[in-house]
Amino acid sequence: MNLNLQFIKKNSLKVYDVLVRYTHCTFDQLEKFCNLKSTDLCLALAQLMRENKVEQYCVQQAVYYRPAGLLPR
């Protein structure tokens, strides 16, 4: 698998912009809002978590993503 880091970073900026706007989203919501395939979204989220810009958390057995440092709703 040939990974294009610039493509991943471009997608991660798109995902981060959506999370800043909506404060938290599920994976399915991010797929729809960002119009990304699941593999591209996974790579973007992994990049953002690696950079400590995004964190994931669970509420009632649902996984959410949010910009790092925000308190849960």
Side-chain angles (χ1 to χ4, degrees):
M1 182 178 195
N2 187 10
L3 299 177
N4 182 337
L5 190 55
Q6 285 183 316
F7 182 71
I8 294 169
K9 288 196 177 229
K10 185 181 102 178
N11 286 340
S12 69
L13 289 174
K14 187 186 299 187
V15 172
Y16 189 75
D17 288 343
V18 167
L19 287 173
V20 167
R21 181 174 181 194
Y22 292 100
T23 66
H24 71 279
C25 295
T26 65
F27 189 88
D28 291 339
Q29 290 170 327
L30 284 171
E31 270 185 312
K32 290 176 188 168
F33 293 150
C34 298
N35 196 28
L36 293 173
K37 296 177 190 174
S38 61
T39 303
D40 293 333
L41 178 56
C42 282
L43 291 169
L45 285 168
Q47 178 66 29
L48 289 167
M49 285 190 276
R50 194 172 80 115
E51 295 172 357
N52 295 318
K53 291 182 178 178
V54 168
E55 57 193 17
Q56 64 183 151
Y57 66 100
C58 258
V59 174
Q60 298 177 355
Q61 299 183 353
V63 177
Y64 288 89
Y65 298 89
R66 66 179 174 212
L70 286 183
L71 297 174
R73 288 183 163 189

